Amino acid sequence: MLLAFIGMPAQSAPVPQIKIDGGPRELRDNVRQYLTIVEEPCSAPLWRLKSLLVAANDEIEKAAQALGYYQLKFTTDLAQSNECWQLRIDLTPGEQVKVTEFNLFLRGDGADDENFKPLITAPSIKVGDSLHHGVYENLKTQISTKATSEGYFDGRFDVTRVVVNAATNTANIELIYNTGTRYRIGKIRMTHNILDEQFLRRYLNIKSGDYYDTDKLLELKSYYNASNYFSVAMASPDLQHLHDNTVDIDVQLEEIGRAHV
């Protein structure tokens, strides 16, 4: 008898079933990501599920608007059996909002910096695109990241605006980024266990007074690593002690064979 039970396949425990129909897959997936009710177990009481379903109405709308669907219509159907609960959502997305106006401007020292040209001349958003708030947020991140990598450590957005006209299904977007002043390299501080610092400094591709450039630091690190002298090679800006529009650089080196385990 014991052997017979061992040979029987184990039955999987029931789990909530959420079925989302209608619209493109990206929309359905995003709606599922927004829903908090998905975290509820089969044992959740009906009163709690109904409360979360009220919240789900707002979550579904937000998930759709994040992808530019401001004309969404939907229905929900919550059912509960002895084993578990099920939720069905039917989506009718309508047309996506279109970007009819897009303006991106730079202020500060970076306004004429060629390093920003690709982002300004060929941004990831253009007039005629469907509104996608994820793309919008990614573009903001790209601008901020580029500014930091080029030494504009005081950069900030003066304007971040998305205005949606639900009646006309259109959107106007405006981004104004103030780069502030571009920082220069201050002191280059070297920490190492080699006495001949003159030998170490011959690898330097930067000097005090140069404009800060993250790519230059990555290049410097690669120089030290390619030399095969060092088990540890790091070059990083001291962002905690910015002063007089300069940033000090810390170079840390350790010979092969002397690394701490």
Side-chain angles (χ1 to χ4, degrees), residues 194-212:
I194 303 173
L195 295 179
D196 190 357
E197 186 161 318
Q198 184 176 358
F199 165 75
L200 299 178
R201 287 186 174 269
R202 74 180 186 180
Y203 288 95
L204 290 179
N205 60 343
I206 57 174
K207 63 181 183 297
S208 297
D210 287 350
Y211 281 120
Y212 174 85

Side-chain angles (χ1 to χ4, degrees), residues 38-55:
V38 299
E39 301 173 1
E40 294 301 306
C42 288
S43 59
L46 183 59
W47 66 264
R48 176 165 176 79
L49 293 174
K50 287 183 175 180
S51 176
L52 289 172
L53 187 59
V54 173

Side-chain angles (χ1 to χ4, degrees), residues 153 187 189 212 217 236-243 246-250:
F153 298 119
K187 296 178 181 178
R189 302 184 297 234
Y212 174 85
L217 295 192
S236 57
D238 183 2
L239 299 179
Q240 302 302 314
H241 302 95
L242 299 174
H243 57 92
T246 64
V247 57
D248 297 331
I249 305 299
D250 290 313

Side-chain angles (χ1 to χ4, degrees), residues 30-47:
N30 209 45
V31 167
R32 189 178 295 273
Q33 288 293 323
Y34 269 68
L35 292 173
T36 55
I37 196 172
V38 299
E39 301 173 1
E40 294 301 306
C42 288
S43 59
L46 183 59
W47 66 264

Side-chain angles (χ1 to χ4, degrees), residues 133-205:
H133 287 272
V135 174
Y136 167 76
E137 293 297 333
N138 286 340
L139 177 58
K140 288 167 55 181
T141 299
Q142 285 180 317
I143 295 170
S144 298
T145 300
K146 185 62 176 176
T148 301
S149 70
E150 299 295 339
Y152 297 97
F153 298 119
D154 299 326
R156 67 186 185 279
F157 280 100
D158 288 340
V159 177
T160 56
R161 183 181 296 126
V162 179
V163 180
V164 174
N165 187 329
T168 60
N169 227 32
T170 59
N172 295 341
I173 299 176
E174 184 176 17
L175 291 172
I176 301 178
Y177 190 82
N178 191 331
T179 67
T181 301
R182 188 178 186 185
Y183 279 62
R184 293 179 181 271
I185 294 174
K187 296 178 181 178
I188 301 174
R189 302 184 297 234
M190 307 195 73
T191 302
H192 57 89
N193 55 7
I194 303 173
L195 295 179
D196 190 357
E197 186 161 318
Q198 184 176 358
F199 165 75
L200 299 178
R201 287 186 174 269
R202 74 180 186 180
Y203 288 95
L204 290 179
N205 60 343

Side-chain angles (χ1 to χ4, degrees), residues 5-25:
F5 277 114
I6 292 175
M8 294 176 61
Q11 293 185 346
S12 58
V15 294
Q17 298 295 319
I18 299 178
K19 184 174 177 58
I20 304 175
D21 293 317
R25 180 174 180 177

